[in-house]
Each structure stands twice: as C-alpha cells, then as structure tokens.
Amino acid sequence: MCERRIYVGTAAWTIPKAYQEAFPNEGSHLVRYASRLDGVEINSSFYRPHRLSTYQRWADDVPDHFRFAVKMPKTITHEGRLRDVDEPLQRFLGEIAGLGGKLGPVLIQLPPSLKFDPDAAEAFFRTLRDSFGGDIVCEPRHATWYTADVDAFLIERQVARVAADPQPHPDAKQPGGWRELGYYRLHGSPKMYYSSYSDEDITRIAGELRKREAEGTRTWCIFDNTAEFAATANALATAVLVR
C-alpha cells in the first residue's frame, strides 16, 4: 500500500455536536473521526501517560492508512527542559510503541522561555535518536531556535521544525529543519485557539500542502483551534481539497 503524503486532522478526535452529521453514526468518536480524516494529534500525552495497551487499542480502531502524531510529555519539555530526562523519555517511547505502524511524528513543543542550548539540545536529541528512528517534529517558541545554525542542527538529526500560526517568530511561518517532513500547527488567528480560518485561508493552506506533496514531502496539517470547535470544520474543508 502506498504511503500517504498528506495527513490532515485536529488536535484530539472529539466530534462536536455541530458537526455530528459529517461523520458516521456508528462507532466510538475515534472510529467515526478516522472515517473522514487521515490523522490526529494526541495532545493528552502532554499532560499524562497512557498505557501501552491504550495506544494498541487506538491503533486497532483505525484504518491502515491512518496515523497518530503524539505530543511529548511536559515532564520532558517544560519541567525537565530537555535535561536529565532519559527515564521519562524511555517510558514515553515504550508507551507509544503500542501504536505500531500507525505511529506518525512525535511532536516536541518547547516552552517559549526555552532558549537553544547546544549542549542540552545535542545530548537530548542524541539520546532520542539512539532510541527512536521515526519522525520527529519540534515546535520551538524562542527566537534563538530560528537561525541557520540551528536549522542545520535539526537537519543533521532529521528533525523537522513546525510551521505555526500564529507564528512566534517571522521564520516560523514555514516548516524548517529536516526537509522530508513538513508539519503545520494552526492554532487559530487572530484569536488563538478560537478563530476559524476563512475559505481563502483554507484554499491557501491546501495549496501549500499539495505543493509539498508534489515535491515529495510528507506533510501534516493539524488544526488546534478547538476552543469553539472551528478545528473540525477547517480540517474537513482542507481534507476535501487535498484528496
């Protein structure tokens, strides 16, 4: 089976009441969600661990082409700040192994205050790469991560940099780092987590995804404007345009 090149979805697989009719009536929320969208970002892993068996159950509930992106726990990124985190990192990697072949990228979202420290970053990503050969995306939010040297650092370790909206830095508008993977996290603009994207925005976003697909890049687009459920409508509209 040919691997898909574009994955469109939302942060979590909740189906809001306003969009119930867009999904089948039968099955769990995840089963119904996966009938219309090709990927999802698991954010709950940022706040609490999930059992290996839970990830296995989720993987069993979705079609073969479906993929899960998984957000790295805050104990590693925000509390540990990438330092001395071998034990929680190995535990997390052991848990998400339950997704098997349906595991997509691991998302590393960094706190806005976390500057790029070459020693800490080198140690962390070396340990991560020694233990995990899958896709990795990083969403830094401090200006020190947006330099040519850091971009080269990420490319060498096959780590993609997230394209975020709203953008924490002018260079965050487009994906960076490793070029074979693109990952868009769209949080809603102008009101973060709330605002819906316009039809014009969706057309532009879909065009960018198709362009990257034509270039051979595997690309993800996750809508995180979930506070008033705009993410679901935006993801469904985008998915139609890229298929």
Side-chain angles (χ1 to χ4, degrees):
M1 183 178 64
C2 182
E3 179 82 4
R4 297 198 177 199
R5 308 300 294 186
I6 301 177
Y7 295 89
V8 177
T10 62
W13 53 77
T14 300
I15 299 176
K17 288 184 178 180
Y19 303 105
Q20 295 279 347
E21 293 183 359
F23 298 87
N25 293 324
E26 300 297 322
S28 67
H29 275 220
L30 176 57
V31 169
R32 296 164 63 205
Y33 173 100
S35 71
R36 293 294 313 275
L37 296 166
D38 301 323
V40 72
E41 186 181 276
I42 299 175
N43 277 190
S44 56
S45 53
F46 178 74
Y47 300 100
R48 63 185 184 278
H50 298 299
R51 295 179 179 177
L52 174 74
S53 59
T54 299
Y55 284 110
Q56 290 173 329
R57 185 179 75 249
W58 289 340
D60 289 342
D61 281 348
V62 298
D64 289 344
H65 69 267
F66 191 91
R67 295 292 181 270
F68 296 86
V70 190
K71 192 171 181 180
M72 188 169 280
K74 65 178 181 178
T75 53
I76 298 171
T77 57
H78 288 55
E79 296 169 13
R81 300 176 71 84
L82 306 186
R83 292 179 177 274
D84 301 319
V85 292
D86 288 8
E87 193 251 331
L89 177 61
Q90 296 304 325
R91 184 170 62 247
F92 169 67
L93 294 176
E95 292 162 356
I96 65 174
L99 293 172
K102 294 172 184 175
L103 173 60
V106 168
L107 168 67
I108 306 168
Q109 185 191 59
L110 301 177
S113 62
L114 186 60
K115 298 179 180 180
F116 179 76
D117 180 310
D119 293 333
E122 169 61 32
F124 172 76
F125 282 105
R126 182 176 63 247
T127 299
L128 177 55
R129 269 294 172 223
D130 285 347
S131 304
F132 181 70
D135 286 340
I136 301 171
V137 293
C138 183
E139 185 179 18
R141 291 180 285 176
H142 193 278
T144 54
W145 288 81
Y146 295 90
T147 69
D149 287 346
V150 174
D151 212 47
F153 172 91
L154 295 174
I155 291 170
E156 184 178 348
R157 290 149 186 83
Q158 297 187 345
V159 176
R161 194 190 71 227
V162 165
D165 181 68
Q167 56 203 64
H169 184 275
D171 291 341
K173 185 176 182 180
Q174 295 296 327
W178 192 43
R179 303 296 189 254
E180 294 186 29
L181 176 65
Y183 200 101
Y184 293 78
R185 295 194 85 219
L186 307 180
H187 303 290
S189 182
K191 189 176 181 181
M192 198 169 182
Y193 305 125
Y194 286 84
S195 296
S196 180
Y197 290 95
S198 68
D199 291 344
E200 182 180 357
D201 290 331
I202 295 297
T203 300
R204 174 184 53 79
I205 292 164
E208 288 189 32
L209 300 179
R210 289 197 303 268
K211 179 177 181 293
R212 291 186 177 275
E213 179 186 34
E215 295 169 348
T217 304
R218 287 174 291 106
T219 307
W220 279 67
C221 180
I222 293 294
F223 290 92
D224 189 32
N225 48 340
T226 56
E228 292 184 348
F229 312 118
T232 303
N234 291 166
L236 290 171
T238 303
V240 168
L241 294 178
V242 299
R243 284 176 181 161

